[in-house]
Structure formats: structure tokens, C-alpha cells
Amino acid sequence: MSYISVEHLTKEIGNDTVLKDVTLSLEKRGIIGLEGQNGSGKTMLMRAICGLIKPTQGYVSIENKKLWDDIDFPPSVGLLLEKPALLSSYSGRKNLEILSSIKQIASEQDIDAAIEKVGLDPTDKRPVRKYSLGMKQRLGIAMAFFEQPDLIILDEPTNALDEDGVHMLTELIVEQRDRGATLLVSSHDAEFLEVICDVIYKMKLGKIVEKIDVQRRAS
């Protein structure tokens, strides 16, 4: 049984069909890639898996429990969708503190460790409006994993990152996989996905057009 199953998922918005009969599966402790250009449906599919949009047809199940039926959202998820959702008047650390107050499962040490892992300073008091785009992206990545969720969803996580940032991200993704997390990562950068992923689904115009087993191809 797959950890997450997407079955014949279709989403219509007005006259547009943004997802078209999408079927895929996510295995536990794996890194699954979504490759495609802007408008291919990657972000919309991630929104569906998070429970943020309801499909027109089909369903998503997590450990055999259907979203929008048995459960409203994945029980343990961290996500970075499009741009990081940050409170611009607060410091990076304060942003994580506010987020952690919802579930109250991350300690002060967890927050500091996550900020340091993405190459930021937990003692930096500057409001995030003064951060560069790369720093904001790093903070958004920290927000996705600092509570050590079972499922981590990263939408174009290399945006605004320099070479060192991409290297940091690669190590962090593998580290999270090794501790037992399942990661769904979207990117238009095929080379980046080939480095980190076990399986890549290529998307175009709301459809899955190809599935690539990276391990098998590399062997």
C-alpha cells in the first residue's frame, strides 16, 4: 500500500482544467519529483495533496484515509508553496516561533537548529522585510521541516538560492529522507531533481506525461 495515493485527480477552475486525470503514488521514506514548466500543474497538484483544494473528480488518500472525506489535511505535513508566507515585521526566528505555537511540538532548540541548518542566524533580530530573496527562501525551507513532519512538500525550493544554497538544500532533503520523511519536490530544473529524487513525474498542461525511475535509470 502506498503512503499517499492520487487517483484519477481532475480539477476544473472556471472553464480551465488545471489537473487532468492525474494518478501517482508516494512511498514512505522517498523523494518524489515533479518536473515541469510554469503552468504545468505542479503547484496545483501539491495543493490538492495538502488538502488546500478539493478536486472536481478523483481523490487523494493518505495511509488509506481519503482527503475531504475521512480527513481534512495530511496529519503531519510541512510545506513551502510558491513564495514563503512570512510575517515581514518579525524576525526569522519569531516567524518560526509563531508557527510552532499552533502544534506546540517543536522546542526552542528545534527552531534554532532549523535556522542554522539553512545557513541563517537565529539571533538575527532584523525583520524579514530586510532579508534578501535568498534569505527568505532559506527561512521558508526551515519552516517546512523544523517540526520534523512525516510529509514535506517543497514547491520550486531552489528559487533565489545561490550555489551554496542549492548544496545546503540537497543535503537537507536527503537528511530528511534518511530520518524517515517522505518528500515531494517540484522543479523546472531537471538536473536538480535527478540528483535528489528516487522517482520523477514529468507534468505538462495538467497531466502526468512520463514517470522516470531515477535509480533504475542510473543503474
Side-chain angles (χ1 to χ4, degrees):
M1 181 192 306
S2 297
Y3 170 46
I4 297 177
S5 294
V6 178
E7 297 291 339
H8 301 290
L9 196 75
T10 294
K11 178 62 179 178
E12 298 172 355
I13 299 178
N15 295 324
D16 295 328
T17 303
V18 294
L19 292 174
K20 303 173 184 177
D21 195 32
V22 174
T23 295
L24 56 81
S25 63
L26 281 67
E27 302 300 327
K28 275 194 169 181
R29 196 179 174 181
I31 304 172
I32 298 88
L34 296 177
E35 180 188 335
Q37 298 302 314
N38 292 339
S40 62
K42 305 186 307 295
T43 300
M44 198 62 65
L45 177 56
M46 288 176 151
R47 288 182 177 276
I49 292 172
C50 292
L52 299 177
I53 61 167
K54 189 173 183 178
T56 307
Q57 296 177 13
Y59 67 88
V60 176
S61 66
I62 300 173
E63 294 187 312
N64 215 30
K65 294 181 180 179
K66 287 186 179 180
L67 284 176
W68 315 287
D69 188 358
D70 302 316
I71 55 176
D72 294 324
F73 303 101
S76 177
V77 62
L79 64 153
L80 172 65
L81 283 178
E82 299 177 303
K83 295 188 298 183
L86 305 174
L87 299 174
S88 63
S89 297
Y90 293 103
S91 69
R93 192 180 195 284
K94 186 63 176 179
N95 269 265
L96 264 69
E97 288 176 353
I98 292 170
L99 183 58
S100 71
S101 69
I102 299 172
K103 291 185 176 180
Q104 299 183 348
I105 59 176
S107 67
E108 297 286 321
Q109 292 75 21
D110 293 332
I111 292 172
D112 287 343
I115 294 172
E116 290 175 350
K117 275 186 177 293
V118 298
L120 299 177
D121 180 1
T123 67
D124 189 345
K125 303 298 185 183
R126 285 179 297 167
V128 296
R129 67 170 176 268
K130 295 186 177 180
Y131 281 17
S132 67
L133 290 177
M135 292 173 69
K136 290 177 180 178
Q137 187 74 355
R138 286 171 183 257
L139 185 61
I141 293 165
M143 293 171 77
F145 81 84
F146 82 105
E147 292 179 318
Q148 304 289 284
D150 295 336
L151 173 64
I152 299 175
I153 293 179
L154 302 172
D155 184 19
E156 297 285 358
T158 61
N159 280 354
L161 294 182
D162 57 15
E163 185 176 345
D164 288 341
V166 173
H167 179 71
M168 170 278 297
L169 175 65
T170 301
E171 289 189 338
L172 183 56
I173 287 172
V174 173
E175 177 184 292
Q176 293 299 303
R177 189 273 313 276
D178 289 347
R179 73 160 175 86
T182 301
L183 297 103
L184 180 62
V185 183
S186 78
S187 182
H188 61 274
D189 186 342
E191 289 186 13
F192 172 70
L193 292 179
E194 288 169 5
V195 169
I196 64 169
C197 291
D198 304 307
V199 177
I200 297 172
Y201 291 92
K202 288 191 175 184
M203 295 192 70
K204 186 176 182 179
L205 299 176
K207 292 183 177 182
I208 300 288
V209 295
E210 186 178 2
K211 177 185 177 183
I212 301 170
D213 187 319
V214 179
Q215 291 178 324
R216 182 163 57 248
R217 183 177 60 182
S219 63

